[in-house]
Each structure stands twice: as C-alpha cells, then as structure tokens.
Amino acid sequence: QKEVEQNSGPLSVPEGAIASLNCTYSDRVSQSFFWYRQYSGKSPELIMSIYSNGDKEDGRFTAQLNKASQYVSLLIRDSQPSDSATYLCAVTEGGNNRLAFGKGNQVVVIP
Amino acid sequence: DAGVTQSPTHLIKTRGQQVTLRCSPKSGHDTVSWYQQALGQGPQFIFQYYEEEERQRGNFPDRFSGHQFPNYSSELNVNALLLGDSALYLCASSLGGGLQFFGPGTRLTVL
C-alpha cells in the first residue's frame, strides 16, 4: 500500500518565525505533490502544488521537492496566528490523480 | 463563481441504515472524487467519477457506491451503516486530472 508519512508531532512556533513541515512518500511513480491546510472543523484547502524537483514559492509559503529522496516539505515564513491549522501532505498515486494523504501536522502559532 | 457544494452538512443515522450524500462540483469541473476522513486522520480516497462512470476506486467495500449525473453532480451512497463509517465525507472536484478542490464536507455520525 502506498504511504505518505508525516511523522512530526504538533509544532508550536512563535509569531514571525518559520514553520517547517516534512513529508515522505513511498510511491516512486508519484508525479504531483500538494499541501492542503485544514482548519479545525473545516475541509482541506489547497495552498501549494509542486511537480518538479526544487523549490516553489508562493507568498509566505515555500514547497520543496526531492524525488530522489521521496521527500517534500513546506516552509511557512513569518508565521501568523491565522496559520494555526493542520497541514496535510498529499501525493498522486501511480499514474492517476487520486490523492494519498498523510495524517497531517498540527501547527500552532503563538502570538 | 460557486465553489464545490455538499449536502447535507451534518447527518445522524443508526447502524444498518442507508445514507445518500450529494455534491455539486465547481463550475467548469467535470470530475468528482469522494474521500472519507476519520477524526485525526488524513482523507482516504473512496472513488472517482468522470463522464458518469466510476473511473477509480480505493479500498472500500461494495457498501459504498456512487453516481454521477449529466450535470457532473454526484452522490455517494453507503448501505448497512457501521459505527466505523462515522467520519467527515469530502467531495473534491477537478477538471479531468487537474487540481482537486474540496467542498465543505458532510459530517456523518452513526449511532
């Protein structure tokens, strides 16, 4: 079974600091990688997509992909209290666009 | 431009009953995917509909079935409900194999 691992426990960061989230995946055929943000009691919201090795920046968010290491990460710069949420890593399975998700990492930004 | 909509918002059923959940995709999207999210877990892929046919299916029993209508809206049916079916059911829409955007979800509680 294809797996997406997000092993870090809840992450507490002070306001203005950088939050760093990591994700590993087992399916070498995966082509597309996503980060979703999910506020408590709400549905996931797409915040980043990345398809090739390297970094992709969008505002305060940077996604990093390393296909050789099967590793994708998300950096949140200048963290704000509104960034407090669970962040879900998702990858496409095989040649399909069905998404496999990790369990998520909770981020708490402390004012 | 309306986003993905789902109904109902919340639903309470008893074991053995049947339930139907509904989803209308984002305007311009033609593909609907359904996911189940248990508390504290990432979403799990149930199945995907395109051109009124089930194109992909995850590891869910036949009690879970669906349908897509000519207007691209979709239904998820679950028969013989079990306590373990209690979860947030998410619908995601996309244009073919493109980015998936989630609706607000339906919270199902099975007593």
Side-chain angles (χ1 to χ4, degrees), chain B residues 6 21-23 32-35 45-47 74-76 90:
Chain B
Q6 291 186 246
L21 310 181
R22 296 175 176 82
C23 171
V32 173
S33 302
W34 287 92
Y35 294 81
F45 176 79
I46 302 175
F47 42 52
S74 177
E75 289 182 348
L76 164 65
L90 296 162

Side-chain angles (χ1 to χ4, degrees), chain A residues 36 38 43 51 96-98, chain B residues 35 37 48 56 99-100 103:
Chain A
Y36 285 82
Q38 187 172 26
S43 64
Y51 307 100
N96 305 310
N97 75 329
R98 56 192 281 179
Chain B
Y35 294 81
Q37 186 176 25
Q48 183 180 86
Q56 304 179 58
L99 298 175
Q100 294 187 37

Side-chain angles (χ1 to χ4, degrees), chain B residues 16-67:
Chain B
Q17 285 189 311
Q18 178 264 343
V19 68
T20 297
L21 310 181
R22 296 175 176 82
C23 171
S24 291
K26 183 180 171 67
S27 178
H29 285 184
D30 57 8
T31 301
V32 173
S33 302
W34 287 92
Y35 294 81
Q36 179 197 65
Q37 186 176 25
L39 200 60
Q41 303 295 317
Q44 296 290 316
F45 176 79
I46 302 175
F47 42 52
Q48 183 180 86
Y49 278 85
Y50 172 69
E51 293 188 338
E52 302 181 50
E53 291 188 3
E54 182 183 294
R55 294 302 178 118
Q56 304 179 58
R57 188 176 183 92
N59 189 26
F60 279 80
D62 292 344
R63 298 186 297 110
F64 290 76
S65 63
H67 188 78

